[in-house]
């Protein structure tokens, strides 16, 4: 009974997720006051179509690219609001869970809202524009890399035909009047407007143009809420329910309400922000999802995305030789070998401190290799698989004394959930993909295994081998999740 009483709050801790934290600071996000330049863009993508979202509030911009055999730069979609006074209270956010960029601004009397996402279910950029408290008017244009405009094809469509690609943009409005004025579309007096935009490589058979027509016809037949539901379902299939929290839960709300650029300035001054480290890690994971695998490879990619040690295999090498490991990562490796978490993080943390005040993304990516190697090092502080042994919290920095990790898949096929506080492991849950001997290297303390029932409650203590101090091993089956708890 004593074990059960201990386990129930531990299970509740393991079940803790961002969705259970109070709104509005529950969602891990990048949050900026302004994203005006292309190099400051917030990125969206589905592995084929990529959009970089930037621009000032009244002039939002989306730079498009298509990933296939070769990368195709497809120009910039430009929206210009044609009414209102001075801009106030501008904000831009990328919500990690949804893969949606939201931008808002006020003119003092009304608030304007813009949501955009690149669908993981369709080769489609979707933009929704609204204004609280009345109709609005705007212009929409699309220019290629040479600043040549797309061709107007009716009052609701722009078409871009280039040697390398074919693209089309179509708008739907609630109320108002749609028209064209040569190279742009205009919307006057609308209450809401949705933009659908897609790009396909060109070929002699014209399959790209036909695919675009089919994509836009299907999108136009669905409400915005249905399109975003399709996107979220496909995104969840790719990314799974992975979660990483670093730092005290009570501190997450305060930090996440602060703008990311402000937080980066504080980190650059020498302060610690474990939650920003988690965002840094998830940025790498999302960048890999948005930049690499083609749609028919998504299931394989899902495994890679959950296994940081395998991330580099998902990248297409740009040269025959592997670049040398960065000096700071060499210092990380040396500190990890000594199980010195503080020294390992001291070697890696300057990378985060060097980020610009406006951009959390890594610099000097080749192609993202430095980002992935650094993120894989972060993961190794929490879980490290060497041979047949999995080490739990082997190199935990003291600044990450509290945290939560969910649905981390190791390279050998073990799915792990961890919860720790005050630097000590509270509980761990294991699911294996195939029958195997599960061998663990433990942090300080005494632990024991329990079978987990369908109701999530722990059963009786299970017999386990203890081959050496701070080691434990047990036969694990795919049909039996295991719970590791401190011995009482």
């Amino acid at each position: 009974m004593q074990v059960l009483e201990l386990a129930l709050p531990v299970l509740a801790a393991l079940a803790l997720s961002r969705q259970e934290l109070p709104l509005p600071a529950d969602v891990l996000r990048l949050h900026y006051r302004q994203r005006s330049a292309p190099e400051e863009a917030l990125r969206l993508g589905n592995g084929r179509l990529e959009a970089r979202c930037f621009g000032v509030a009244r002039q939002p911009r989306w730079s498009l690219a298509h990933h296939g055999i070769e990368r195709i730069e497809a120009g910039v979609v430009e929206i210009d609001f044609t009414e209102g006074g001075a801009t106030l209270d501008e904000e831009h956010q990328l919500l990690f869970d949804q893969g949606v960029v939201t931008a808002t601004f006020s003119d003092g009397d009304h608030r304007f809202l813009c949501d955009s996402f690149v669908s993981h279910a369709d080769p489609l950029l979707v933009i929704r524009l609204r204004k609280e408290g009345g109709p609005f008017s705007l212009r929409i244009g699309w220019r290629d890399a040479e600043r040549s405009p797309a061709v107007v094809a009716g009052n609701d469509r722009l078409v871009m035909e280039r040697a390398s690609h074919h693209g089309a943009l179509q708008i739907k409005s609630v109320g108002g009047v749609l028209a064209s004025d040569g190279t742009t579309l205009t919307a006057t007096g609308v209450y809401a407007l949705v933009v659908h935009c897609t790009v396909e490589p060109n070929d002699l058979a014209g399959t790209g143009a036909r695919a675009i027509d089919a994509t836009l016809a299907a999108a136009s037949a669905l409400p915005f809420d249905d399109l975003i539901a399709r996107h979220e379902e496909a995104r969840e299939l790719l990314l799974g329910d992975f979660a990483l929290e670093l730092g005290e839960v009570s501190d997450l709300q305060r930090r996440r309400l602060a703008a990311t650029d402000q937080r980066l300035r504080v980190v650059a001054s020498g302060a610690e922000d474990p939650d920003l480290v988690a965002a840094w890690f998830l940025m790498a994971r999302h960048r890999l999802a948005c930049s690499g695998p083609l749609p028919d490879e998504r299931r394989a990619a899902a495994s890679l995305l959950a296994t940081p040690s395998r991330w580099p295999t998902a990248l297409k090498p740009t040269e025959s030789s592997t670049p040398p490991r960065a000096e700071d990562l060499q210092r990380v490796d040396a500190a990890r070998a000594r199980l010195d978490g503080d020294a390992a993080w001291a070697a890696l943390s300057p990378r985060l401190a060097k980020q610009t005040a406006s951009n959390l993304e890594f610099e000097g990516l080749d192609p993202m290799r430095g980002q992935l190697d650094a993120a894989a090092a972060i993961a190794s502080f929490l879980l490290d698989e060497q041979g047949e042994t999995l080490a739990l919290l082997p190199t935990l920095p003291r600044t990450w004394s509290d945290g939560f990790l969910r649905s981390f898949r190791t390279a050998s096929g073990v799915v792990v959930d961890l919860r720790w506080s005050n630097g000590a492991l509270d509980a761990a849950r294991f699911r294996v993909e195939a029958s195997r001997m599960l061998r663990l290297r433990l942090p300080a303390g005494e632990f024991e295994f329990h079978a987990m029932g369908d109701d999530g409650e722990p059963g009786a203590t299970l017999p386990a081998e203890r081959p050496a101090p701070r080691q434990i091993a047990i036969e694990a089956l795919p049909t039996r999740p295991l719970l590791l708890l401190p011995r009482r």
Side-chain angles (χ1 to χ4, degrees):
M1 185 65 181
Q2 184 179 12
V3 171
L4 181 60
E5 290 174 348
L6 167 69
L8 287 176
V10 172
L11 287 176
L14 277 171
L16 179 65
S17 67
R18 289 183 293 277
Q19 288 74 22
E20 293 166 338
L21 296 175
L23 293 172
D26 60 331
V27 177
L28 189 55
R29 59 186 176 168
L30 301 186
H31 172 204
Y32 299 94
R33 294 301 181 192
Q34 192 176 83
R35 307 288 286 177
S36 57
E39 60 270 19
E40 299 175 347
L42 294 171
R43 297 170 185 254
L44 299 170
N46 60 12
R48 294 184 64 188
L49 187 64
E50 176 189 289
R52 300 186 180 194
C53 311
F54 62 100
V56 295
R58 293 193 173 280
Q59 297 177 315
R61 302 289 188 257
W62 292 262
S63 176
L64 291 177
H66 187 281
H67 297 276
I69 298 176
E70 295 181 354
R71 179 183 172 93
I72 298 171
E73 297 293 342
V76 177
V77 174
E78 305 172 331
I79 292 179
D80 295 290
F81 288 92
T82 58
E83 60 179 33
T87 298
L88 304 172
D89 302 323
E90 180 178 352
E91 291 190 353
H92 301 249
Q93 300 183 72
L94 169 59
L95 307 181
F96 280 110
D97 286 350
Q98 295 93 336
V100 175
V101 167
T102 67
T104 64
F105 71 93
S106 169
D107 62 4
D109 297 318
H110 303 95
R111 193 161 69 108
F112 295 78
L113 305 96
C114 175
D115 305 305
S116 60
F117 63 93
V118 172
S119 176
H120 280 274
D122 309 285
L124 195 68
L125 166 66
V126 182
I127 305 166
R128 179 174 64 174
L129 301 147
R130 295 168 291 161
K131 174 185 173 183
E132 292 182 348
F136 59 94
S137 301
L138 52 77
R139 291 190 300 267
I140 301 177
W142 186 4
R143 298 180 183 275
D144 65 15
E146 283 72 42
R147 302 293 295 167
S148 298
V151 176
V152 172
N155 291 334
D156 64 349
R157 181 180 282 211
L158 296 174
V159 174
M160 181 172 287
E161 294 180 327
R162 301 294 185 262
S164 61
H165 63 279
H166 187 99
L169 176 154
Q170 186 165 295
I171 60 177
K172 291 172 57 179
S173 68
V174 176
V177 177
L178 302 180
S180 63
D181 59 359
T183 59
T184 61
L185 304 178
T186 62
T188 305
V190 297
Y191 287 85
L193 187 140
V194 177
V195 179
H196 304 138
C197 185
T198 187
V199 176
E200 292 286 352
N202 230 343
D203 60 24
L204 296 178
T207 56
R210 289 196 294 272
I212 282 173
D213 288 340
T215 295
L216 292 181
S220 297
L222 294 175
F224 177 86
D225 288 346
D226 289 354
L227 284 174
I228 200 167
R230 282 173 51 81
H231 157 68
E232 290 177 346
E233 182 179 355
R235 182 178 174 85
E236 184 177 353
L237 178 64
L238 173 63
L239 296 176
D241 63 346
F242 182 93
L244 173 64
E245 303 283 9
L246 296 174
E248 295 183 15
V249 171
S250 61
D251 193 45
L252 294 184
Q253 293 184 55
R254 180 184 65 83
R255 291 190 181 278
R256 290 181 184 174
L257 285 173
T260 303
D261 44 5
Q262 175 187 348
R263 295 172 68 180
L264 283 167
R265 284 192 290 269
V266 173
V267 168
S269 70
E272 294 285 354
D273 190 338
D275 183 58
L276 203 57
V277 178
W280 198 36
F281 180 91
L282 289 177
M283 172 66 75
R285 190 168 187 262
H286 283 67
R287 282 288 307 279
L288 180 56
C290 297
S291 302
L294 295 174
D296 58 355
E297 298 168 331
R298 283 180 177 173
R299 289 189 179 275
S303 176
L304 290 168
L305 289 165
T307 310
S309 61
R310 295 173 61 195
W311 282 353
T313 67
L315 298 175
K316 297 178 181 178
T318 57
E319 54 187 15
S320 57
S321 61
T322 301
R325 195 159 173 82
E327 183 178 346
D328 59 345
L329 294 176
Q330 294 178 23
R331 293 197 299 272
V332 170
D333 294 340
R336 286 177 52 215
R338 303 192 306 270
L339 302 181
D340 188 339
D342 290 338
W345 175 236
L348 191 60
S349 59
R351 286 204 179 203
L352 180 60
K354 289 179 181 177
Q355 300 309 298
T356 67
S358 62
N359 198 342
L360 186 64
E361 296 196 39
F362 287 64
E363 300 171 353
L365 309 183
D366 181 31
M368 302 193 306
R369 175 110 20 212
Q371 182 178 15
L372 293 174
D373 284 347
I378 289 173
S380 71
F381 296 172
L382 309 177
L383 285 171
D384 192 18
E385 191 169 40
Q386 299 292 334
E388 297 181 350
T389 301
L390 178 62
L392 308 182
L393 305 179
T395 325
L396 187 68
R398 278 179 292 184
T399 188
W400 303 354
S401 59
D402 296 84
F404 170 74
L405 180 67
R406 183 179 67 215
S407 296
F408 186 108
R409 183 183 287 103
T410 72
S412 66
V414 184
V415 181
V416 185
D417 302 336
L418 295 178
R419 178 72 189 188
W420 65 96
S421 59
N422 297 319
L425 179 65
D426 294 327
R429 181 165 51 200
F430 305 91
R431 291 157 286 166
V432 296
E433 298 174 349
S435 298
R436 57 170 289 170
M437 181 63 72
L438 180 62
R439 304 180 186 277
L440 304 178
R441 189 169 79 237
L442 302 170
E446 295 293 328
F447 296 87
E448 57 192 9
F449 277 111
H450 297 262
M452 182 176 291
D454 294 337
D455 57 2
E457 295 186 359
T461 303
L462 297 174
E465 300 177 12
R466 299 181 184 274
R470 297 179 65 171
Q471 293 188 25
I472 192 170
I474 192 172
E475 184 68 30
L477 305 174
T479 56
R480 183 182 67 175
L482 297 171
L483 180 66
L484 184 74
L485 294 172
R487 179 185 290 176
R488 296 289 183 178

